Every structure is written in structure tokens, then in C-alpha cells.
């Protein structure tokens, strides 16, 4: 008996203190027969995990790699676009396991759950100007965003039925809608919400409160193969704490670098709270001196952990106060600029009107805060881009500001990247325009053949008649008339092409009917030679737009329609262009009867370099640049669809491109 007891203690000690994976014979046979495991994940849940370029990355991805090595079997990623789609795949037994998931009543029907290996606090985020939430009951009746099908969604819905939950696809979608004021707040986990705010919503959103609940998550396995849960429970115990901490540190360090913070996570969150808290407290500075002193003390605590320059300004006296980092951002020490009476002398002259305009909007309460980006002169003589954010915290009896406080942030690298992106877009536009010019030149060549043929034929006829002494005055007059008309036609073609090349990018009032006639003019020879009916139903519409860019877009779409018709054997081919207006917009529809676009290609039609043409005739940038011009330059909308309609009494089908433009173009 003593021997058996000793053996039991030995086994217990081995299990508790060894990292070796001990599997039963059945478990080993299961893995041997299984050969590989299919893994489902949340495709958009950083820093925990996401699918990027078909690969699984994040904290759980690193964790799964360790488990894969320990159980000695390949774990394959199952591709999905949303968490809800991953759950559906699990129900259909397409997934053997889920990387990070919490048990719920509905999931227990098809999944088993291992011990938790992540313990995550839940928080609520709001827009940056909202007060902090110390009592969840204050959310009663407010719209709050939350990710659909997450386990904590069921927990929150059950425990806090007074919250009006609005479901979104993923965390970034929820925070974007929060920024757009679609709802008051968004509920998520501390690390994912903090990660997204620091990467995409700095200065826009904040973490405003937390819940008592914590989210415990582990691995889930299909419940029709119970051996897999047993194997993974053992495998989880073999992962050393050191490796777990290394994974944690690796992914959280990325968050800090991108958000300009270098301290631990708790300091990051507290610092973020304090900065916003300072701005709110300073609004009541004249009646709350004690809070002002406390806010200053708290603000000083953040300086060591945040690369933010702080400033205060009295518009009446033009007196400024800044911290050391404010000066360091532009290459100075604080003592170097303490005697500078007017900091506006450091600001680029082109940016001063914008600063004055944005401050005036805040002063007149059109905006809750002052926010602007501008260039400042550095000590080395170069200009650097600065993001400035602030609030008026004190006004006099005439409601004029007497104290404004805020922060400066170095955004020079970001601005350089933006400029590089714009440069690349300009190259795309130039390439697209060159392609459009090439197509026009080809069409012009077709149009020139007939008048050139007339000129050479008439001239040759006159020469022969003259040699045979058969020339009559009326023949000469008639021949000269034909030559003059042909020459004027050639001259007009050159003028139209030159206008396309020379027009500057200036907004102007454009007659849509004339513009569409100009666009179709370049295809006159194709209409005649290829026997394609061109039907124009165009109202008299005047809109404010970049004429040349809209013309380029129309040429791209019309040319695509001609290419599609040329590839099809159709008895009666047609291109129909409709242009009409409603109260605010101008709508242009271009459709053909070339049977339409393949369904799988409709969603990709505006992607760069996507083309269904042979590489010798298509680059794939025409429709991409058309989409860029319409949506980003003209602030409109373009949609592609397949439509059924009647033409000459017959049912036909084709592609339809619908362009919607505002009659008056907004400022850019």
C-alpha cells in the first residue's frame, strides 16, 4: 500500500510540475488518425487575433503555435470574414476548435470548452467630450454599441436590461459608428478597445468607464469529438508562464509604440483619462480654483509617459505658457523660446487663416473643441506638421475667451506618409488619363480617315480633270467646298482633344448635356463602324464640378461599354445614357445590352488592376480611377449593377453604371 501511495504522489508531482504532455493511448490514436485540426477565429479582434492576408496573427495565434508544437499536429486556419460567420462554421462542424471563446448556453449545443487562459475586463468607450461613467445605471435608455454574437453580449443583455444595445459586426465598426455619433457608447474589452482607439481614434474617443464583469475565455472544441478537449486541456497546462507573459508583452508593446506611450497599460489608460479630465475641469476654472490646481498636478504626472506638448493661451493679452515637450517638438529648449511674445510667428503663413477659422468656430460654440493641423517652423529651419487640440476654459463677462488650454502632438511622419499616398494617387490618375488619351487618339484616327479620304479623292479628281482639260468652274467650287468642310472637321477634332489636355483642375459650372455630347463625340467612328446605337436621354442640368475629371470618368465608362459590346455577337447593339436631376443631385446612368457583368466580378469591378480584358487591351485602372475621381474628388457616388430592360421591343440585359453627384460641390 505504501508503494502504491508513493507511486500516486510521484504521478501527481509529475503532472503538477512538469511541462511534458502526457496523453493516453486513445488520445494519441485520435491525433494520429486526425492528422490535422481545423481552427476558427475572430477575423477582426486585435490585439488578440485577426486574419490578415489569409494568416492568423495576434496573441492567440502565438499561443496556438505553442500548442501545435506541443501536441505535434498541424492546425489549419479556416478563413472567415466575421465572428458570426465563424460560429456558423462551427455549427456545421467545419471547425475542430476555436482559439478564444467563452461558453454560453447556445454554444454548449455544439462545443466543449477548455479551462480559461485569458481573463479580460470589460469597458465602455465614448466620444472624448463626454464625462466619465462611474455608475452603469447612467446608461439607462441610451444607445450602446456592442459586437453581435460575442459571449459578453449575452451577459450584458441579461444583467443590464435597461441598456439599449445596438449590434455591430466588429470592434472597429462599432468605434467608427460611435465617432459618427450613431450611439452614445460602445462596450468591449479593455485591450481591444484601447488598441483600436490608439491606432485609429486618438483625440476622438476615450475609455470612459468599466464593468464589474470580467470575460474568461479559453479554447472550444467540437463536442462530437470529446477526446480533443481532453488533449487541449492538458496542452494548455504545458505552456510555461514565461511564454504566456512574452506573448502578452509582445502584442501590448505594439499598442504603446503606435500611440506614442511608453509606460505600462494602466498608466496609458490613466494618462488618457487625465488629459481629457483636465480639459473638462478647466472649463470651470473661474469658480473652481481647487480643481484647477488638482488638474495641473495630474497633468504634470502624464508628461513623463506621453509625448504631448501642453499649452495655455490668453487671447486678450496674447500670453502663452508651454511645457518642455512643446518646445522639444520643434527642436528648442523651453528657455530658448520663453521670451517669444507671439508664437504665431512660428506658424506657416498659409496655415494661419485655417487656425483662426477653426478657433472662431469653437469660440462661437459651433464646435465643442478647437482642433486643427498646421506647420510650425523648427530650430533647424524646416517646417514640421503639428496636431493641436484645445478648449476655452474661461470667458469674461462679455463671453470673450480669456484662457484656452490644449495639447500639441508631432504628426510630421503621418503627414509625410499621407503626402506619399497622394503622390501615388496622382500617378494612378496620370496613368488612367494617358490610357483615356490613347483611346481617344485611336477614335480620332478613325474619325480622320473619312475626311482625309474625301480631301485626297477630291484633290486627285481635280488634278486628273485639269490634266484632261475637263475642269469646270462649278466642279472646282464643289470640290473646294468639300475640302473646306473636311478641313474644318479635322480642326474641330484637334480643338476638342486639346481642350481635354489643357483644362485646369478648377471647379466650374458645367452643362451636363454638353459634357456628355463631348464625351460621346470621341466615339463617333465606333458608333458608325460597329453599328452601335447611341441613345441619349439628357435633361438640361447645370452642376458645379471639376469638368475635366468628370469627362475622364465618363470616357472610361463609355469605352468599357463599347469594349463589352465588341466582344458579344448581338444583332442590335446599344448604349443608352440617361441624365436627370432630383432636388439636390444629378444622376447619370450609362447602360448597354452586352449581357452584364459576371456576378462574382461585380464586387471587384472598382478594385485597382482588376480587369476581365486581355492584358494587351486592359490595365484594370480605368474603373478604379473612375471610382476614385467620383467618390474622393467629386464627392459623389458610383454604383455598378446588372439591369434588365426593353430595347426596340425586345427584352435585353446589360451592365448599368449609375453616377450620383451633388448639384453644388462641397468644399474639399
Amino acid at each position: 500500500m505504501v508503494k502504491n501511495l508513493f507511486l500516486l504522489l510521484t504521478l501527481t508531482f509529475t503532472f503538477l510540475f512538469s511541462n511534458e504532455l502526457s496523453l493516453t493511448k486513445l488520445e494519441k490514436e485520435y491525433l494520429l488518425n486526425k492528422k490535422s485540426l481545423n481552427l476558427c477565429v475572430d477575423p477582426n479582434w486585435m490585439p488578440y487575433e485577426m486574419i490578415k492576408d489569409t494568416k492568423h496573427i495576434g496573441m492567440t495565434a502565438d499561443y496556438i503555435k505553442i500548442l501545435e508544437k506541443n501536441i505535434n499536429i498541424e492546425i489549419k486556419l479556416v478563413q472567415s470574414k466575421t465572428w458570426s460567420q465563424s460560429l456558423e462554421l462551427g455549427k456545421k462542424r467545419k471547425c475542430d476548435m476555436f482559439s478564444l471563446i467563452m461558453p454560453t448556453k447556445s454554444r454548449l449545443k455544439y462545443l466543449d470548452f477548455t479551462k480559461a487562459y485569458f481573463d479580460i475586463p470589460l469597458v465602455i468607450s465614448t466620444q472624448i467630450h463626454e464625462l466619465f461613467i462611474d455608475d452603469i445605471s447612467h446608461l439607462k435608455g441610451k444607445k450602446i454599441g456592442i459586437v453581435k454574437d460575442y459571449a459578453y453580449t449575452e451577459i450584458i443583455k441579461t444583467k443590464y436590461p435597461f441598456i439599449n444595445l445596438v449590434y455591430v459586426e466588429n470592434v472597429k465598426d462599432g468605434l467608427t459608428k460611435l465617432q459618427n455619433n450613431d450611439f452614445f457608447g460602445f462596450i468591449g474589452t479593455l485591450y481591444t478597445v484601447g488598441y483600436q482607439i490608439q491606432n485609429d481614434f486618438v483625440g476622438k474617443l476615450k475609455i470612459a468607464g468599466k464593468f464589474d464583469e470580467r470575460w474568461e475565455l479559453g479554447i472550444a472544441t467540437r463536442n462530437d469529438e470529446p477526446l480533443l478537449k481532453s488533449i487541449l486541456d492538458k496542452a494548455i497546462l504545458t505552456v510555461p508562464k514565461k511564454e504566456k507573459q512574452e506573448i502578452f508583452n509582445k502584442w501590448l508593446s505594439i499598442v504603446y509604440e503606435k500611440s506614442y506611450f511608453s509606460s505600462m497599460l494602466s498608466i496609458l489608460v490613466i494618462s488618457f483619462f487625465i488629459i481629457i479630465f483636465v480639459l473638462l475641469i478647466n472649463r470651470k476654472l473661474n469658480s473652481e480654483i481647487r480643481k484647477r490646481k488638482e488638474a495641473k498636478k495630474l497633468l504634470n504626472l502624464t508628461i513623463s509617459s506621453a509625448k504631448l506638448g501642453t499649452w495655455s493661451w490668453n487671447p486678450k493679452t496674447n500670453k502663452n505658457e508651454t511645457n518642455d515637450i512643446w518646445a522639444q517638438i520643434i527642436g528648442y529648449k523651453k528657455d530658448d523660446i520663453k521670451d517669444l511674445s507671439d508664437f504665431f510667428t512660428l506658424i506657416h503663413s498659409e496655415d494661419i487663416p485655417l487656425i483662426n477659422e477653426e478657433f472662431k468656430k469653437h469660440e462661437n460654440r459651433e464646435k465643442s473643441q478647437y482642433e486643427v493641423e498646421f506647420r510650425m517652423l523648427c530650430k533647424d529651419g524646416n517646417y514640421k506638421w503639428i496636431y493641436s487640440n484645445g478648449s476655452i476654459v474661461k470667458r469674461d463677462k462679455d463671453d470673450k475667451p480669456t484662457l484656452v488650454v490644449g495639447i500639441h502632438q508631432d504628426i510630421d511622419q503621418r503627414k509625410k506618409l499621407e503626402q506619399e499616398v497622394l503622390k501615388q494617387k496622382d500617378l494612378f490618375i496620370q496613368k488612367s488619363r494617358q490610357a483615356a488619351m490613347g483611346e481617344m487618339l485611336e477614335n480620332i484616327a478613325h474619325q480622320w480617315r473619312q475626311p482625309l479620304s474625301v480631301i485626297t479623292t477630291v484633290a486627285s479628281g481635280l488634278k486628273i480633270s485639269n490634266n484632261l482639260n475637263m475642269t469646270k468652274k462649278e466642279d472646282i467650287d464643289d470640290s473646294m467646298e468639300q475640302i473646306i468642310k473636311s478641313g474644318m472637321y479635322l480642326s474641330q477634332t484637334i480643338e476638342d482633344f486639346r481642350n481635354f489636355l489643357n483644362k485646369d483642375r478648377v471647379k466650374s459650372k458645367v452643362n451636363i448635356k454638353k459634357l456628355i455630347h463631348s464625351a460621346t463625340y470621341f466615339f463617333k467612328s465606333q458608333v458608325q463602324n460597329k453599328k452601335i446605337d447611341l441613345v441619349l436621354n439628357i435633361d438640361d442640368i447645370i452642376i458645379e464640378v471639376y469638368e475635366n475629371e468628370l469627362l475622364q470618368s465618363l470616357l472610361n465608362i463609355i469605352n468599357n461599354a463599347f469594349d463589352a459590346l465588341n466582344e458579344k455577337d448581338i444583332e442590335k447593339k446599344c448604349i443608352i445614357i440617361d441624365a436627370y436631376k432630383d432636388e439636390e443631385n444629378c444622376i447619370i446612368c450609362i447602360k448597354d445590352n452586352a449581357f452584364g457583368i459576371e456576378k462574382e466580378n461585380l464586387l471587384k469591378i472598382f478594385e485597382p488592376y482588376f480587369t476581365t480584358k486581355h492584358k494587351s487591351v486592359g490595365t484594370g485602372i480605368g474603373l478604379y480611377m473612375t471610382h476614385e475621381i467620383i467618390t474622393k474628388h467629386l464627392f459623389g457616388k458610383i454604383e455598378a449593377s446588372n439591369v434588365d430592360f426593353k430595347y426596340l421591343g425586345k427584352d435585353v440585359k446589360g451592365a448599368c453604371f449609375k453616377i450620383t453627384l451633388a448639384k453644388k460641390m462641397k468644399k474639399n
Side-chain angles (χ1 to χ4, degrees):
M1 181 165 178
V2 174
K3 184 178 180 181
N4 291 337
L5 181 59
F6 178 76
L7 180 60
L8 179 61
L9 289 171
T10 302
L11 291 172
T12 304
F13 181 86
T14 302
F15 177 76
L16 290 174
F17 298 98
S18 172
N19 286 332
E20 294 294 324
L21 181 61
S22 177
L23 299 180
T24 66
K25 182 179 179 182
L26 285 175
E27 289 169 342
K28 290 178 180 178
E29 288 177 354
Y30 169 83
L31 291 176
L32 188 62
N33 293 330
K34 193 72 175 175
K35 296 182 181 177
S36 66
L37 297 172
N38 291 330
L39 173 70
C40 277
V41 303
D42 188 330
N44 194 351
W45 194 27
M46 289 298 284
Y48 301 113
E49 62 184 4
M50 75 177 294
I51 297 176
K52 183 177 181 181
D53 299 330
T54 71
K55 293 183 179 179
H56 184 207
I57 65 170
M59 296 169 74
T60 62
D62 290 352
Y63 204 92
I64 293 297
K65 286 176 185 175
I66 296 172
L67 296 181
E68 183 180 38
K69 180 181 177 182
N70 288 355
I71 64 177
N72 195 26
I73 188 171
E74 182 183 10
I75 298 177
K76 296 180 179 178
L77 176 66
V78 178
Q79 300 291 329
S80 63
K81 293 183 179 179
T82 66
W83 176 240
S84 297
Q85 186 182 356
S86 293
L87 290 175
E88 287 300 317
L89 289 168
K91 291 176 184 177
K92 295 175 182 178
R93 306 297 189 189
K94 302 289 186 182
C95 313
D96 296 312
M97 57 188 288
F98 285 82
S99 56
L100 195 63
I101 189 169
M102 180 178 181
T104 64
K105 187 176 179 180
S106 60
R107 294 173 185 172
L108 287 169
K109 294 177 182 179
Y110 58 96
L111 293 174
D112 287 332
F113 294 85
T114 68
K115 297 176 182 179
Y117 67 93
F118 268 122
D119 181 13
I120 309 166
L122 295 178
V123 297
I124 181 165
S125 57
T126 65
Q127 292 191 4
I128 203 163
H129 62 270
E130 297 291 344
L131 295 174
F132 296 103
I133 300 165
D134 55 4
D135 187 348
I136 300 302
S137 65
H138 292 163
L139 300 178
K140 185 175 181 180
K142 296 184 183 295
K143 288 185 177 180
I144 305 295
I146 197 165
V147 177
K148 180 183 178 185
D149 290 333
Y150 275 2
Y152 63 73
T153 303
E154 296 183 27
I155 297 171
I156 298 298
K157 186 176 181 181
T158 302
K159 187 168 181 180
Y160 306 99
F162 54 82
I163 299 179
N164 184 8
L165 296 178
V166 180
Y167 299 111
V168 297
E169 289 297 324
N170 53 58
V171 175
K172 189 168 184 180
D173 176 37
L175 292 176
T176 300
K177 289 180 177 178
L178 173 59
Q179 181 186 353
N180 294 336
N181 213 26
D182 288 358
F183 32 71
F184 174 78
F186 176 80
I187 297 172
T189 66
L190 173 63
Y191 305 143
T192 51
V193 171
Y195 181 91
Q196 293 292 345
I197 287 177
Q198 294 152 17
N199 279 277
D200 301 306
F201 303 97
V202 171
K204 309 291 184 183
L205 305 178
K206 68 178 181 182
I207 295 174
K210 69 181 184 67
F211 290 82
D212 294 333
E213 288 71 25
R214 299 179 73 84
W215 199 17
E216 295 185 347
L217 299 101
I219 295 173
T221 63
R222 53 192 297 172
N223 61 8
D224 59 338
E225 297 181 7
L227 285 173
L228 181 55
K229 174 189 176 297
S230 172
I231 293 168
L232 290 175
D233 264 329
K234 294 177 181 178
I236 288 172
L237 293 174
T238 65
V239 180
K241 286 185 179 180
K242 182 181 177 182
E243 291 192 28
K244 291 181 184 178
Q245 189 62 44
E246 286 174 354
I247 292 171
F248 189 84
N249 293 341
K250 170 186 173 182
W251 288 100
L252 287 182
S253 66
I254 293 173
V255 176
Y256 306 150
E257 289 165 8
K258 289 186 177 179
S259 60
Y260 309 104
F261 286 86
S262 59
S263 60
M264 298 298 289
L265 181 63
S266 58
I267 297 176
L268 168 69
V269 176
I270 292 169
S271 300
F272 192 65
F273 288 173
I274 291 169
I275 293 170
I276 307 308
F277 190 52
V278 168
L279 292 176
L280 292 171
I281 287 179
N282 283 348
R283 293 176 186 266
K284 302 178 181 179
L285 191 60
N286 59 336
S287 61
E288 300 180 3
I289 301 299
R290 183 184 59 81
K291 289 185 179 180
R292 178 178 181 271
K293 291 179 179 179
E294 180 184 349
K296 282 188 175 181
K297 185 189 297 184
L298 293 173
L299 180 60
N300 289 333
L301 292 175
T302 69
I303 294 173
S304 60
S305 60
K307 294 180 180 179
L308 297 173
T310 62
W311 54 266
S312 64
W313 174 50
N314 186 329
K316 279 194 167 184
T317 63
N318 201 28
K319 184 180 179 182
N320 300 275
E321 288 186 13
T322 65
N323 68 347
D324 291 327
I325 296 176
W326 190 97
Q328 290 167 12
I329 288 174
I330 52 175
Y332 290 93
K333 292 181 179 179
K334 188 176 178 180
D335 290 341
D336 295 338
I337 55 174
K338 65 181 180 180
D339 297 328
L340 187 64
S341 60
D342 189 358
F343 288 144
F344 275 84
T345 58
L346 297 174
I347 296 172
H348 198 293
S349 59
E350 294 176 2
D351 298 335
I352 291 176
L354 176 62
I355 294 173
N356 291 333
E357 180 185 350
E358 292 301 312
F359 183 75
K360 200 70 179 174
K361 288 178 182 178
H362 176 49
E363 183 183 358
N364 295 336
R365 293 185 170 87
E366 295 175 29
K367 287 189 172 183
S368 61
Q369 60 185 11
Y370 154 79
E371 184 179 24
V372 70
E373 295 177 356
F374 54 81
R375 290 161 289 180
M376 286 195 77
L377 185 64
C378 299
K379 188 176 182 179
D380 62 7
N382 295 317
Y383 280 94
K384 177 178 283 188
W385 278 99
I386 303 294
Y387 165 77
S388 183
N389 179 299
S391 292
I392 297 170
V393 296
K394 189 176 180 181
R395 295 175 184 258
D396 61 17
K397 62 181 181 179
D398 298 321
D399 202 37
K400 297 296 182 183
T402 57
L403 183 63
V404 191
V405 298
I407 61 170
H408 269 194
Q409 194 169 5
D410 182 352
I411 59 167
D412 202 55
Q413 288 300 318
R414 194 197 83 196
K415 277 291 185 180
K416 286 177 180 176
L417 287 173
E418 287 177 358
Q419 289 166 2
E420 184 62 28
V421 169
L422 287 174
K423 190 184 295 183
Q424 293 300 320
K425 280 192 175 181
D426 287 341
L427 290 174
F428 267 123
I429 293 173
Q430 184 63 24
K431 192 172 181 181
S432 174
R433 198 167 184 209
Q434 287 172 352
M437 286 166 52
E439 289 161 356
M440 282 193 292
L441 282 170
E442 185 178 346
N443 288 324
I444 289 169
H446 282 296
Q447 294 183 53
W448 275 25
R449 287 194 182 103
Q450 184 178 353
L452 285 173
S453 177
V454 169
I455 291 170
T456 54
T457 301
V458 169
S460 299
L462 278 175
K463 184 177 180 180
I464 292 170
S465 297
N466 188 53
N467 290 338
L468 298 174
N469 295 319
M470 296 172 60
T471 307
K472 297 179 182 178
K473 184 178 181 303
E474 55 268 26
D475 292 338
I476 294 174
D477 291 341
D478 183 57
S479 298
M480 290 302 102
E481 184 67 25
Q482 290 186 58
I483 290 172
I484 290 168
K485 284 182 179 179
S486 297
M488 290 177 66
Y489 179 82
L490 294 174
S491 177
Q492 183 61 44
T493 306
I494 293 170
E495 186 64 24
D496 290 337
F497 184 64
R498 191 179 70 176
N499 287 339
F500 177 74
L501 289 176
N502 293 340
K503 281 184 180 174
D504 294 327
R505 191 177 186 269
V506 178
K507 291 179 193 173
S508 60
K509 291 185 177 180
V510 176
N511 186 308
I512 292 298
K513 180 178 280 190
K514 289 183 179 179
L515 187 72
I516 292 176
H517 277 294
S518 296
T520 55
Y521 173 81
F522 291 107
F523 297 94
K524 186 175 179 182
S525 62
Q526 289 202 54
V527 170
Q528 294 171 347
N529 298 338
K530 305 283 178 70
K531 296 181 179 179
I532 297 174
D533 291 342
L534 183 61
V535 181
L536 304 180
N537 304 312
I538 308 168
D539 293 342
D540 283 320
I541 309 168
I542 304 293
I543 67 171
E544 187 181 74
V545 76
Y546 293 123
E547 180 177 0
N548 214 35
E549 295 191 9
L550 179 54
L551 176 61
Q552 180 180 342
S553 300
L554 294 174
L555 288 170
N556 284 336
I557 297 172
I558 296 170
N559 188 68
N560 271 15
F562 275 106
D563 287 345
L565 288 168
N566 290 336
E567 294 174 359
K568 302 293 189 301
D569 184 14
I570 303 171
E571 183 179 351
K572 199 65 178 174
K573 302 177 181 180
C574 71
I575 296 175
I576 300 173
I577 303 178
D578 299 312
Y580 55 92
K581 60 185 176 181
D582 58 20
E583 290 183 3
E584 297 181 353
N585 300 311
C586 164
I587 294 97
I588 303 171
C589 294
I590 303 171
K591 60 187 177 184
D592 57 59
N593 63 337
F595 306 131
I597 303 166
E598 293 292 337
K599 188 175 180 180
E600 61 269 21
N601 293 335
L602 263 178
L603 295 176
K604 305 186 235 175
I605 201 76
F606 295 120
E607 292 180 5
Y609 299 111
F610 175 78
T611 179
T612 57
K613 304 175 186 177
H614 188 272
K615 64 182 180 181
S616 63
V617 295
T619 63
I621 66 166
L623 286 179
Y624 165 70
M625 285 314 309
T626 297
H627 184 272
E628 289 288 296
I629 289 169
I630 296 297
T631 58
K632 304 230 177 119
H633 294 199
L634 308 183
F635 303 104
K637 183 169 70 172
I638 181 168
E639 304 164 271
S641 62
N642 291 322
V643 293
D644 298 309
F645 60 98
K646 283 189 177 292
Y647 182 67
L648 299 180
K650 291 185 178 181
D651 292 327
V652 296
K653 181 178 182 179
C656 177
F657 288 84
K658 180 181 177 182
I659 298 172
T660 304
L661 299 170
K663 292 181 195 173
K664 186 171 180 61
M665 192 173 171
K666 74 175 183 179
K667 290 184 179 180
N668 59 346

